[in-house]
Amino acid sequence: MASSSSLVRPLCNQSQSPLLHWVADRRKAFISPLCNGGSATSKDGVAFEPCNEYYSSKNGSFSSFFGSKNVSFNINHKHPRLNRGVARSGQAMAVAVEPAREIMTKQKPPTKQRRVVVTGMGVVTPLGHDPDVFYNNLLEGASGISEIEAFDCAQFPTRIAGEIKSLSADGWIAPKLSKRMDKFMLYMLIAGKKALEDGGVTEDVMEELDKEKCGVLIGSAMGGMKVFNDAIEALRISYRKMNPFCVPFATTNMGSAMLAMDLGWMGPNYSISTACATSNFCILNAANHMIRGEADMMLCGGSDAAIIPIGLGGFVACKALSKRNGDPTKASRPWDVNRDGFVMGEGAGVLLLEELEHAKRRGATIYAEFLGGSFTCDAYHMTEPHPDGNKLDLYYYKSLHFCISYFRWQCHEDQART
């Protein structure tokens, strides 16, 4: 029908609309045998072939179809654009009456999917700055929550947090730079370099890497709050007192950028800020970059350092923090019926993700394999989960669907090898 409309539209501009009614009346004759030459037709008019008289017609005449030798299209010399439909009408009609062809689609074999593994880990936490120490403390039930010592918080109803009491940047970051940057960046750079060290990425290995295929995706929920807060306090005196790095060092992506500049990595580099889910988003996105072939190695995770007066005061104002100041080690109880809020913490956790074959070639230790994940939102509240727990099943379904698809591909690969 679209082809028919395009053919008759130029005729309408020439005020020949009566012809359309006449064509409609002749439709039945159009799909029936048209001449003695004998055209191939079907009862439903779906597919047929023009007759010999159609091919032998002259001057653009459609007499073979409409039964009259005097019906033809006149060429309009004043408006040549109106002749386009006339000039191509025979060609278009021939296409319209071509026999239907069966379309054969070839099923493509499953594409080989790149596999992602974990080859390094780095942490900076209240429970320790080494993955083994951190993990053993978790197994022993140790708590990193204690009274805040970084500033006087006597005026606040909450005076406890998971605070890092001490951390040395010696050997990890230049002293001049460590004094300028926010603590969230300090934690991120140290954890990132610890992950490289744990993954066996020495200087010799670093020289062998394709740095255009190495990226950093480490996020932060709050960013450089301390640097920005100090800049506001300095502005009360004069803008000349402000730290010239206060704006770039306050952005959440600057930690990933500084680490990439330090390492010379030129692959995907940005950060994600999605509150408590920041690190999970970064890990999943980093893995996806590698699955798509955009990177062979990625540092990913998260870092935050918001235990400062403005950070503590903000969470107190929205009544989100626990007030168990007398028993800080038992204040964090997310599944307890007597839970009275969460407890703030600080630190960084970074994973070194690597493409499987890339890791094998350099003889890396493989801790685990990344199978998949998903992104969802319960669209309910800024801080509270949905009371019915809806959308959790959607998250689990999407994640399991990804993993099942992966296992099906893996089974296909195994069968192809055998």
Side-chain angles (χ1 to χ4, degrees), residues 234-292:
L235 184 60
R236 298 180 188 276
I237 302 173
S238 171
Y239 72 90
R240 293 184 177 88
K241 299 291 185 181
M242 294 177 65
N243 181 351
F245 300 96
C246 65
V247 172
F249 281 4
T251 58
T252 58
N253 71 298
M254 191 51 61
S256 291
M258 292 295 292
L259 183 54
M261 287 188 286
D262 195 348
L263 301 174
W265 286 13
M266 297 174 284
N269 185 284
Y270 58 100
S271 68
I272 298 174
S273 181
T274 50
C276 302
T278 294
S279 295
N280 284 341
F281 273 85
C282 291
I283 294 170
L284 183 50
N285 276 276
N288 287 337
H289 280 298
M290 300 177 68
I291 292 172
R292 293 194 298 265

Short mmCIF file of all heavy atoms in Angstrom, two decimals, residues 234-292:
data_model
loop_
_atom_site.label_atom_id
_atom_site.label_comp_id
_atom_site.label_asym_id
_atom_site.label_seq_id
_atom_site.Cartn_x
_atom_site.Cartn_y
_atom_site.Cartn_z
N ALA A 234 37.96 28.84 54.73
CA ALA A 234 38.98 29.80 54.30
C ALA A 234 38.34 30.99 53.59
O ALA A 234 38.82 32.13 53.71
CB ALA A 234 39.98 29.12 53.38
N LEU A 235 37.25 30.74 52.87
CA LEU A 235 36.58 31.82 52.15
C LEU A 235 35.97 32.84 53.10
O LEU A 235 35.79 34.01 52.73
CB LEU A 235 35.49 31.22 51.24
CG LEU A 235 34.75 32.19 50.33
CD1 LEU A 235 35.72 32.89 49.38
CD2 LEU A 235 33.67 31.46 49.54
N ARG A 236 35.66 32.43 54.33
CA ARG A 236 35.13 33.37 55.32
C ARG A 236 36.15 34.47 55.63
O ARG A 236 35.78 35.59 56.00
CB ARG A 236 34.75 32.64 56.60
CG ARG A 236 33.65 31.60 56.43
CD ARG A 236 33.33 30.91 57.75
NE ARG A 236 32.42 29.80 57.59
CZ ARG A 236 31.08 29.92 57.55
NH1 ARG A 236 30.54 31.13 57.68
NH2 ARG A 236 30.33 28.86 57.40
N ILE A 237 37.41 34.14 55.46
CA ILE A 237 38.48 35.12 55.69
C ILE A 237 38.78 35.85 54.37
O ILE A 237 38.66 37.07 54.29
CB ILE A 237 39.75 34.43 56.22
CG1 ILE A 237 39.42 33.68 57.52
CG2 ILE A 237 40.87 35.44 56.44
CD1 ILE A 237 40.57 32.82 58.03
N SER A 238 39.16 35.09 53.35
CA SER A 238 39.45 35.68 52.04
C SER A 238 39.62 34.55 51.03
O SER A 238 40.08 33.45 51.38
CB SER A 238 40.73 36.52 52.07
OG SER A 238 41.11 36.92 50.76
N TYR A 239 39.26 34.82 49.79
CA TYR A 239 39.45 33.81 48.75
C TYR A 239 40.92 33.48 48.55
O TYR A 239 41.26 32.42 48.04
CB TYR A 239 38.83 34.28 47.44
CG TYR A 239 39.59 35.38 46.75
CD1 TYR A 239 40.59 35.09 45.83
CD2 TYR A 239 39.31 36.72 47.01
CE1 TYR A 239 41.30 36.10 45.18
CE2 TYR A 239 40.01 37.73 46.39
CZ TYR A 239 41.00 37.41 45.48
OH TYR A 239 41.70 38.41 44.85
N ARG A 240 41.79 34.42 48.96
CA ARG A 240 43.23 34.19 48.83
C ARG A 240 43.71 33.06 49.76
O ARG A 240 44.80 32.51 49.56
CB ARG A 240 44.01 35.47 49.12
CG ARG A 240 43.79 36.58 48.09
CD ARG A 240 44.66 37.78 48.40
NE ARG A 240 44.52 38.83 47.40
CZ ARG A 240 43.61 39.79 47.44
NH1 ARG A 240 42.74 39.82 48.45
NH2 ARG A 240 43.56 40.70 46.49
N LYS A 241 42.91 32.75 50.76
CA LYS A 241 43.27 31.70 51.71
C LYS A 241 42.82 30.31 51.24
O LYS A 241 43.17 29.31 51.87
CB LYS A 241 42.64 31.98 53.08
CG LYS A 241 43.09 33.29 53.72
CD LYS A 241 44.56 33.22 54.15
CE LYS A 241 44.97 34.48 54.90
NZ LYS A 241 46.41 34.42 55.31
N MET A 242 42.09 30.27 50.14
CA MET A 242 41.54 28.98 49.69
C MET A 242 42.61 28.12 49.03
O MET A 242 43.54 28.62 48.40
CB MET A 242 40.39 29.23 48.69
CG MET A 242 39.18 29.90 49.30
SD MET A 242 37.91 30.25 48.09
CE MET A 242 37.44 28.60 47.59
N ASN A 243 42.46 26.82 49.20
CA ASN A 243 43.33 25.86 48.55
C ASN A 243 43.06 25.87 47.05
O ASN A 243 41.92 25.66 46.63
CB ASN A 243 43.08 24.46 49.13
CG ASN A 243 43.98 23.39 48.54
OD1 ASN A 243 44.70 23.61 47.58
ND2 ASN A 243 43.92 22.20 49.12
N PRO A 244 44.07 26.12 46.21
CA PRO A 244 43.81 26.15 44.76
C PRO A 244 43.34 24.82 44.21
O PRO A 244 42.82 24.76 43.09
CB PRO A 244 45.17 26.56 44.17
CG PRO A 244 46.16 26.20 45.22
CD PRO A 244 45.48 26.38 46.53
N PHE A 245 43.52 23.74 44.96
CA PHE A 245 43.08 22.42 44.50
C PHE A 245 41.73 22.03 45.09
O PHE A 245 41.31 20.87 44.94
CB PHE A 245 44.12 21.36 44.90
CG PHE A 245 45.48 21.59 44.30
CD1 PHE A 245 46.46 22.24 45.03
CD2 PHE A 245 45.77 21.17 43.03
CE1 PHE A 245 47.73 22.46 44.50
CE2 PHE A 245 47.03 21.38 42.48
CZ PHE A 245 48.01 22.02 43.22
N CYS A 246 41.06 22.96 45.76
CA CYS A 246 39.83 22.58 46.47
C CYS A 246 38.73 22.09 45.54
O CYS A 246 38.02 21.14 45.87
CB CYS A 246 39.33 23.76 47.32
SG CYS A 246 38.80 25.19 46.36
N VAL A 247 38.59 22.69 44.38
CA VAL A 247 37.53 22.26 43.46
C VAL A 247 37.84 20.91 42.81
O VAL A 247 37.04 19.98 42.90
CB VAL A 247 37.25 23.34 42.40
CG1 VAL A 247 36.29 22.82 41.34
CG2 VAL A 247 36.67 24.59 43.06
N PRO A 248 39.00 20.74 42.16
CA PRO A 248 39.26 19.42 41.55
C PRO A 248 39.37 18.29 42.57
O PRO A 248 38.93 17.17 42.31
CB PRO A 248 40.58 19.62 40.79
CG PRO A 248 41.21 20.80 41.42
CD PRO A 248 40.09 21.68 41.86
N PHE A 249 39.95 18.58 43.75
CA PHE A 249 40.12 17.53 44.75
C PHE A 249 38.82 17.19 45.47
O PHE A 249 38.76 16.20 46.20
CB PHE A 249 41.18 17.92 45.77
CG PHE A 249 42.59 17.72 45.26
CD1 PHE A 249 42.83 17.30 43.98
CD2 PHE A 249 43.67 17.96 46.09
CE1 PHE A 249 44.12 17.12 43.50
CE2 PHE A 249 44.98 17.78 45.62
CZ PHE A 249 45.19 17.36 44.33
N ALA A 250 37.78 17.99 45.27
CA ALA A 250 36.49 17.69 45.88
C ALA A 250 35.62 16.80 44.99
O ALA A 250 34.67 16.18 45.48
CB ALA A 250 35.74 18.99 46.19
N THR A 251 35.93 16.72 43.70
CA THR A 251 35.11 15.91 42.80
C THR A 251 35.38 14.42 43.01
O THR A 251 36.50 14.01 43.34
CB THR A 251 35.42 16.28 41.33
OG1 THR A 251 36.81 16.08 41.07
CG2 THR A 251 35.06 17.73 41.06
N THR A 252 34.36 13.62 42.79
CA THR A 252 34.46 12.19 43.07
C THR A 252 35.37 11.46 42.08
O THR A 252 35.92 10.41 42.41
CB THR A 252 33.08 11.52 43.03
OG1 THR A 252 32.48 11.73 41.74
CG2 THR A 252 32.17 12.11 44.09
N ASN A 253 35.53 11.99 40.88
CA ASN A 253 36.32 11.28 39.87
C ASN A 253 37.82 11.56 39.96
O ASN A 253 38.61 10.90 39.28
CB ASN A 253 35.84 11.65 38.47
CG ASN A 253 36.23 13.07 38.09
OD1 ASN A 253 35.79 14.02 38.74
ND2 ASN A 253 37.04 13.23 37.06
N MET A 254 38.20 12.54 40.79
CA MET A 254 39.60 12.94 40.79
C MET A 254 40.51 11.85 41.38
O MET A 254 41.69 11.75 41.01
CB MET A 254 39.77 14.25 41.57
CG MET A 254 41.14 14.89 41.42
SD MET A 254 41.70 15.08 39.72
CE MET A 254 40.44 16.13 39.04
N GLY A 255 39.99 11.03 42.28
CA GLY A 255 40.80 9.94 42.82
C GLY A 255 41.21 8.97 41.73
O GLY A 255 42.38 8.58 41.62
N SER A 256 40.24 8.54 40.90
CA SER A 256 40.55 7.65 39.78
C SER A 256 41.51 8.32 38.80
O SER A 256 42.43 7.68 38.27
CB SER A 256 39.26 7.25 39.04
OG SER A 256 38.45 6.42 39.83
N ALA A 257 41.31 9.61 38.57
CA ALA A 257 42.17 10.33 37.64
C ALA A 257 43.61 10.41 38.16
O ALA A 257 44.57 10.20 37.40
CB ALA A 257 41.62 11.73 37.40
N MET A 258 43.76 10.70 39.44
CA MET A 258 45.11 10.82 40.02
C MET A 258 45.83 9.47 39.99
O MET A 258 47.02 9.40 39.71
CB MET A 258 45.02 11.34 41.45
CG MET A 258 44.54 12.78 41.56
SD MET A 258 45.68 13.98 40.84
CE MET A 258 47.06 13.85 41.96
N LEU A 259 45.11 8.39 40.28
CA LEU A 259 45.71 7.07 40.26
C LEU A 259 46.13 6.68 38.84
O LEU A 259 47.21 6.12 38.62
CB LEU A 259 44.74 6.04 40.84
CG LEU A 259 45.25 4.60 40.96
CD1 LEU A 259 46.56 4.54 41.74
CD2 LEU A 259 44.20 3.71 41.61
N ALA A 260 45.27 7.00 37.86
CA ALA A 260 45.61 6.69 36.47
C ALA A 260 46.82 7.50 36.01
O ALA A 260 47.68 6.98 35.29
CB ALA A 260 44.41 6.97 35.58
N MET A 261 46.91 8.75 36.41
CA MET A 261 48.07 9.57 36.03
C MET A 261 49.34 9.04 36.68
O MET A 261 50.41 9.05 36.07
CB MET A 261 47.83 11.03 36.44
CG MET A 261 46.82 11.75 35.56
SD MET A 261 46.73 13.52 35.90
CE MET A 261 45.85 13.50 37.45
N ASP A 262 49.21 8.57 37.90
CA ASP A 262 50.38 8.01 38.59
C ASP A 262 50.87 6.74 37.90
O ASP A 262 52.08 6.50 37.79
CB ASP A 262 50.01 7.71 40.05
CG ASP A 262 51.23 7.48 40.93
OD1 ASP A 262 52.33 7.33 40.38
OD2 ASP A 262 51.08 7.44 42.16
N LEU A 263 49.94 5.92 37.41
CA LEU A 263 50.30 4.65 36.78
C LEU A 263 50.53 4.77 35.28
O LEU A 263 51.11 3.87 34.67
CB LEU A 263 49.20 3.62 37.04
CG LEU A 263 48.87 3.29 38.50
CD1 LEU A 263 47.66 2.37 38.58
CD2 LEU A 263 50.07 2.67 39.20
N GLY A 264 50.04 5.85 34.69
CA GLY A 264 50.14 5.99 33.24
C GLY A 264 49.12 5.17 32.49
O GLY A 264 49.30 4.89 31.30
N TRP A 265 48.03 4.79 33.16
CA TRP A 265 46.99 3.98 32.53
C TRP A 265 46.04 4.88 31.74
O TRP A 265 45.50 5.85 32.28
CB TRP A 265 46.22 3.18 33.57
CG TRP A 265 47.03 2.03 34.11
CD1 TRP A 265 48.36 1.81 33.96
CD2 TRP A 265 46.53 0.94 34.90
NE1 TRP A 265 48.74 0.66 34.59
CE2 TRP A 265 47.64 0.10 35.18
CE3 TRP A 265 45.29 0.59 35.40
CZ2 TRP A 265 47.52 -1.06 35.93
CZ3 TRP A 265 45.16 -0.56 36.14
CH2 TRP A 265 46.26 -1.38 36.40
N MET A 266 45.81 4.52 30.49
CA MET A 266 45.03 5.37 29.58
C MET A 266 43.72 4.74 29.12
O MET A 266 43.12 5.18 28.15
CB MET A 266 45.89 5.74 28.37
CG MET A 266 47.12 6.56 28.73
SD MET A 266 48.22 6.85 27.32
CE MET A 266 49.02 5.22 27.18
N GLY A 267 43.28 3.68 29.81
CA GLY A 267 42.02 3.05 29.46
C GLY A 267 40.83 3.77 30.08
O GLY A 267 40.94 4.94 30.47
N PRO A 268 39.67 3.12 30.18
CA PRO A 268 38.48 3.75 30.77
C PRO A 268 38.78 4.32 32.15
O PRO A 268 39.39 3.65 32.99
CB PRO A 268 37.47 2.60 30.86
CG PRO A 268 37.91 1.64 29.80
CD PRO A 268 39.40 1.73 29.75
N ASN A 269 38.39 5.57 32.37
CA ASN A 269 38.69 6.22 33.64
C ASN A 269 37.57 7.19 34.01
O ASN A 269 37.36 8.19 33.33
CB ASN A 269 40.02 6.97 33.56
CG ASN A 269 40.43 7.57 34.90
OD1 ASN A 269 39.90 8.58 35.33
ND2 ASN A 269 41.38 6.94 35.55
N TYR A 270 36.85 6.85 35.05
CA TYR A 270 35.80 7.72 35.58
C TYR A 270 35.39 7.18 36.93
O TYR A 270 35.99 6.22 37.44
CB TYR A 270 34.60 7.81 34.63
CG TYR A 270 33.92 6.50 34.30
CD1 TYR A 270 32.75 6.11 34.95
CD2 TYR A 270 34.44 5.66 33.32
CE1 TYR A 270 32.12 4.92 34.64
CE2 TYR A 270 33.82 4.46 33.00
CZ TYR A 270 32.66 4.10 33.67
OH TYR A 270 32.03 2.91 33.36
N SER A 271 34.39 7.78 37.54
CA SER A 271 33.90 7.30 38.83
C SER A 271 32.38 7.29 38.83
O SER A 271 31.75 7.97 38.01
CB SER A 271 34.42 8.16 39.99
OG SER A 271 33.82 9.45 39.93
N ILE A 272 31.81 6.52 39.73
CA ILE A 272 30.36 6.45 39.90
C ILE A 272 30.04 6.79 41.34
O ILE A 272 30.75 6.38 42.26
CB ILE A 272 29.85 5.04 39.55
CG1 ILE A 272 30.13 4.72 38.08
CG2 ILE A 272 28.35 4.91 39.84
CD1 ILE A 272 29.79 3.30 37.68
N SER A 273 28.98 7.55 41.55
CA SER A 273 28.55 7.90 42.91
C SER A 273 27.10 7.49 43.10
O SER A 273 26.19 8.15 42.61
CB SER A 273 28.72 9.41 43.14
OG SER A 273 28.33 9.76 44.45
N THR A 274 26.89 6.36 43.77
CA THR A 274 25.53 5.86 44.01
C THR A 274 25.40 5.43 45.47
O THR A 274 24.99 4.30 45.77
CB THR A 274 25.21 4.67 43.08
OG1 THR A 274 26.28 3.72 43.14
CG2 THR A 274 25.03 5.13 41.66
N ALA A 275 25.79 6.34 46.38
CA ALA A 275 25.66 6.11 47.82
C ALA A 275 26.33 4.80 48.23
O ALA A 275 27.46 4.53 47.83
CB ALA A 275 24.18 6.15 48.22
N CYS A 276 25.63 3.98 49.00
CA CYS A 276 26.23 2.76 49.55
C CYS A 276 26.49 1.70 48.48
O CYS A 276 27.24 0.75 48.72
CB CYS A 276 25.33 2.17 50.63
SG CYS A 276 25.01 3.29 52.00
N ALA A 277 25.89 1.84 47.30
CA ALA A 277 26.08 0.86 46.24
C ALA A 277 27.19 1.26 45.26
O ALA A 277 27.36 0.60 44.24
CB ALA A 277 24.77 0.67 45.46
N THR A 278 27.93 2.30 45.59
CA THR A 278 28.93 2.83 44.66
C THR A 278 29.93 1.78 44.20
O THR A 278 30.18 1.62 43.01
CB THR A 278 29.68 4.01 45.33
OG1 THR A 278 28.77 5.10 45.53
CG2 THR A 278 30.83 4.48 44.47
N SER A 279 30.53 1.06 45.14
CA SER A 279 31.56 0.08 44.78
C SER A 279 31.01 -1.02 43.90
O SER A 279 31.67 -1.46 42.95
CB SER A 279 32.19 -0.52 46.04
OG SER A 279 32.88 0.45 46.78
N ASN A 280 29.79 -1.50 44.19
CA ASN A 280 29.20 -2.56 43.37
C ASN A 280 28.98 -2.07 41.93
O ASN A 280 29.22 -2.82 40.97
CB ASN A 280 27.87 -3.02 43.97
CG ASN A 280 28.07 -3.92 45.17
OD1 ASN A 280 29.14 -4.47 45.37
ND2 ASN A 280 27.04 -4.06 45.99
N PHE A 281 28.51 -0.85 41.79
CA PHE A 281 28.31 -0.30 40.45
C PHE A 281 29.64 -0.21 39.70
O PHE A 281 29.72 -0.52 38.51
CB PHE A 281 27.67 1.09 40.53
CG PHE A 281 26.18 1.07 40.59
CD1 PHE A 281 25.51 0.92 41.79
CD2 PHE A 281 25.42 1.20 39.44
CE1 PHE A 281 24.13 0.90 41.86
CE2 PHE A 281 24.03 1.18 39.48
CZ PHE A 281 23.39 1.02 40.69
N CYS A 282 30.67 0.23 40.40
CA CYS A 282 31.99 0.36 39.76
C CYS A 282 32.54 -0.99 39.33
O CYS A 282 33.09 -1.13 38.23
CB CYS A 282 32.96 1.05 40.71
SG CYS A 282 32.60 2.80 41.01
N ILE A 283 32.40 -2.00 40.18
CA ILE A 283 32.90 -3.34 39.85
C ILE A 283 32.17 -3.90 38.63
O ILE A 283 32.79 -4.44 37.70
CB ILE A 283 32.76 -4.29 41.05
CG1 ILE A 283 33.69 -3.83 42.19
CG2 ILE A 283 33.06 -5.72 40.66
CD1 ILE A 283 33.45 -4.55 43.51
N LEU A 284 30.85 -3.77 38.61
CA LEU A 284 30.07 -4.31 37.51
C LEU A 284 30.38 -3.58 36.20
O LEU A 284 30.52 -4.20 35.14
CB LEU A 284 28.58 -4.22 37.83
CG LEU A 284 27.60 -4.81 36.80
CD1 LEU A 284 28.00 -6.22 36.41
CD2 LEU A 284 26.19 -4.80 37.34
N ASN A 285 30.50 -2.26 36.25
CA ASN A 285 30.82 -1.51 35.04
C ASN A 285 32.23 -1.81 34.55
O ASN A 285 32.47 -1.90 33.33
CB ASN A 285 30.65 -0.01 35.28
CG ASN A 285 29.23 0.46 35.11
OD1 ASN A 285 28.77 0.74 34.02
ND2 ASN A 285 28.52 0.54 36.23
N ALA A 286 33.17 -1.95 35.47
CA ALA A 286 34.54 -2.29 35.08
C ALA A 286 34.58 -3.65 34.38
O ALA A 286 35.26 -3.83 33.36
CB ALA A 286 35.45 -2.28 36.30
N ALA A 287 33.85 -4.62 34.93
CA ALA A 287 33.80 -5.94 34.30
C ALA A 287 33.18 -5.87 32.92
O ALA A 287 33.64 -6.55 31.98
CB ALA A 287 33.02 -6.90 35.20
N ASN A 288 32.15 -5.06 32.77
CA ASN A 288 31.51 -4.93 31.46
C ASN A 288 32.46 -4.32 30.44
O ASN A 288 32.42 -4.69 29.25
CB ASN A 288 30.24 -4.08 31.58
CG ASN A 288 29.11 -4.82 32.27
OD1 ASN A 288 29.09 -6.04 32.30
ND2 ASN A 288 28.17 -4.08 32.84
N HIS A 289 33.29 -3.37 30.85
CA HIS A 289 34.28 -2.82 29.94
C HIS A 289 35.21 -3.92 29.43
O HIS A 289 35.60 -3.93 28.26
CB HIS A 289 35.12 -1.74 30.65
CG HIS A 289 34.44 -0.41 30.75
ND1 HIS A 289 34.07 0.33 29.64
CD2 HIS A 289 34.06 0.33 31.82
CE1 HIS A 289 33.50 1.46 30.02
NE2 HIS A 289 33.48 1.49 31.35
N MET A 290 35.57 -4.82 30.31
CA MET A 290 36.48 -5.89 29.93
C MET A 290 35.79 -6.94 29.07
O MET A 290 36.38 -7.47 28.12
CB MET A 290 37.08 -6.52 31.19
CG MET A 290 37.84 -5.53 32.04
SD MET A 290 38.48 -6.24 33.55
CE MET A 290 39.70 -7.34 32.90
N ILE A 291 34.55 -7.25 29.36
CA ILE A 291 33.80 -8.21 28.55
C ILE A 291 33.64 -7.69 27.12
O ILE A 291 33.72 -8.44 26.16
CB ILE A 291 32.43 -8.49 29.19
CG1 ILE A 291 32.60 -9.26 30.51
CG2 ILE A 291 31.52 -9.28 28.25
CD1 ILE A 291 31.33 -9.42 31.31
N ARG A 292 33.45 -6.39 26.98
CA ARG A 292 33.30 -5.79 25.65
C ARG A 292 34.63 -5.60 24.93
O ARG A 292 34.65 -5.11 23.80
CB ARG A 292 32.58 -4.44 25.77
CG ARG A 292 31.14 -4.52 26.21
CD ARG A 292 30.42 -3.22 25.98
NE ARG A 292 30.99 -2.12 26.75
CZ ARG A 292 30.54 -1.71 27.93
NH1 ARG A 292 29.52 -2.34 28.49
NH2 ARG A 292 31.10 -0.71 28.56
#
